[in-house]
Amino acid sequence: AYAIGMRSVDERATHMSFPLDSAYMQVLPQPSGTHRILLTMPVTDISNLLKELPVQLFDLPHLSEMRTHAFRVPLPTQVVDRLNPAVETHHIFARIACIGDSITACGYPKYLQALFDKAKINVQVRNFGVPGSTALKFSEKPFWEEKKLDEVRVWRPHFVVATFGTNDATTCNWDPDAFEQDYKDLCLELLECLVPRPEVFLVTAPPAYGGEEMDVQQEVVNQDLSPAVVRVAKAAERAINGPLEEQAKRGRCEVPANMVAHTTVVDAFNTFGGAGLTRKAYFAEDGIHPNERGTRLLATLVFADLRQKVAKYIRKRADEASIVPP
């Protein structure tokens, strides 16, 4: 059963022994003149109800924003067989934030969402990409100053996928030392300030098959950028885990798993042809942006790296939710 709203509703749902065969509703007038409706009802019924309610009249919550409650006593075997695993996992979503430049903003997140939906893995993918943005703090359009970064902080994703580097590699922006430092700082901003601590995936920039019109330095993208992203991922992870490991060593204990930082590099550079530039057919005429075929390939690449970790995270959340307190 779902419980939406006030503590009294939650407490009532918590003490239910079996799935509901009816619904409970409370209507609460708000100072603004609107009304808040609090519901406790079966999963299938509330899912069907949300599909029927007109969005013009109701501010409808997403399924992941609702609260579920473990049953107080063991269910009969027949009920468990019928409901499991949907009872445990249908309400648990992993949030994936895609940040970056126009390679992100132009659309691979929507294909990534479709891949997770097809795999029946409960995921919300949001696109926080900003065309022309950079990881560099001092550039023509630093991501640091974009509203999208604040939106990421508020949304608190469980996984962050970042695609920066192409705009950093322009003639007027490129500074290799500053790029690595600022990109590492951006990773730390996400790893240190968000709760729960997300896992960060850094996607190496695809090779440049052109870019002269955009002032992108092809030599920098095709030789220097990918190794720099790998160093950034390692440096960001060690900046957090190093001090934690030292403290744990002095205390003769282990670092709690939820405090350990994880960064992963997604190798889009070699997937899209590498230094040999062998996959030009996946790019638009400018030689920088993937075309639709390339965008789908990028989504598939990111999905392949994320899938197992996201599924593991959801299963962990489901196991935690299934534990009934004594």
Side-chain angles (χ1 to χ4, degrees):
Y2 279 118
I4 311 174
M6 299 175 65
R7 184 183 179 91
S8 60
V9 180
D10 293 343
E11 290 176 344
R12 181 175 60 204
T14 302
H15 289 84
M16 290 177 181
S17 298
F18 299 100
L20 292 171
D21 56 4
S22 60
Y24 298 89
M25 181 175 72
Q26 292 175 283
V27 179
L28 304 178
Q30 303 297 301
S32 63
T34 61
H35 292 76
R36 175 171 295 176
I37 300 175
L38 308 180
L39 295 172
T40 304
M41 59 194 305
V43 171
T44 53
D45 291 350
I46 200 168
S47 299
N48 293 332
L49 176 63
L50 290 178
K51 295 177 183 178
E52 297 295 330
L53 293 176
V55 295
Q56 300 88 345
L57 301 178
F58 293 89
D59 183 12
L60 301 176
H62 189 274
L63 197 63
S64 64
E65 298 174 310
M66 304 178 190
R67 279 171 272 176
T68 61
H69 298 267
F71 300 112
R72 181 63 64 177
V73 299
L75 295 174
T77 305
Q78 299 90 336
V79 177
V80 174
D81 292 341
R82 184 175 179 181
L83 298 181
N84 199 41
V87 163
E88 295 182 350
T89 61
H90 71 273
H91 64 287
I92 299 174
F93 280 72
R95 297 187 295 273
I96 301 176
C98 299
I99 66 175
D101 49 29
S102 55
I103 292 177
T104 294
C106 290
Y108 90 83
K110 67 179 180 181
Y111 296 118
L112 181 61
Q113 178 71 71
L115 289 169
F116 277 109
D117 290 345
K118 185 176 181 180
K120 296 182 179 180
I121 300 175
N122 295 340
V123 161
Q124 287 179 294
V125 180
R126 287 193 183 180
N127 189 341
F128 296 95
V130 178
S133 62
T134 67
L136 283 164
K137 295 178 181 178
F138 299 99
S139 67
E140 295 178 342
K141 198 169 187 178
F143 188 74
W144 291 88
E145 299 178 4
E146 295 294 328
K147 184 179 179 181
K148 294 286 188 181
L149 180 56
D150 293 328
E151 293 175 359
V152 172
R153 294 189 185 105
V154 172
W155 196 48
R156 296 190 305 158
H158 304 110
F159 300 88
V160 178
V161 183
T163 57
F164 289 105
T166 301
N167 295 309
D168 297 271
T170 60
T171 303
C172 60
N173 287 336
W174 182 241
D175 181 332
D177 294 334
F179 172 74
E180 292 191 31
Q181 181 63 49
D182 292 352
Y183 204 177
K184 185 189 82 169
D185 289 346
L186 180 58
C187 293
L188 294 178
E189 176 74 15
L190 299 168
L191 290 168
E192 292 181 334
C193 299
L194 298 183
V195 179
R197 178 168 286 168
E199 183 163 350
V200 175
F201 290 74
L202 302 185
V203 183
T204 58
Y209 288 78
E212 294 79 8
E213 300 84 357
M214 303 170 61
D215 197 31
V216 175
Q217 300 180 83
Q218 190 173 13
E219 182 177 342
V220 171
V221 175
N222 295 344
Q223 295 182 15
D224 303 330
L225 206 51
S226 291
V229 172
V230 173
R231 291 192 294 270
V232 167
K234 292 180 179 178
E237 190 175 276
R238 291 310 306 163
I240 293 178
N241 293 342
L244 291 176
E245 292 169 359
E246 287 296 324
Q247 292 178 12
K249 185 177 180 181
R250 289 195 296 268
R252 298 182 180 180
C253 60
E254 294 185 358
V255 179
N258 64 335
M259 295 182 64
V260 177
H262 296 283
T263 60
T264 302
V265 176
V266 181
D267 188 7
F269 178 73
N270 287 306
T271 300
F272 279 85
L277 303 178
T278 58
R279 287 195 163 182
K280 189 176 182 179
Y282 288 85
F283 286 81
E285 292 183 1
D286 61 15
I288 294 295
H289 296 93
N291 55 23
E292 183 176 357
R293 185 183 179 191
T295 302
R296 290 180 180 273
L297 175 61
L298 180 58
T300 302
L301 176 66
V302 174
F303 174 72
D305 279 59
L306 275 171
R307 179 174 183 170
Q308 288 188 351
K309 295 184 178 183
V310 171
K312 181 179 179 181
Y313 168 79
I314 293 176
R315 174 51 55 187
K316 179 184 176 182
R317 287 280 309 280
D319 291 342
E320 292 172 350
S322 66
I323 299 174
V324 179

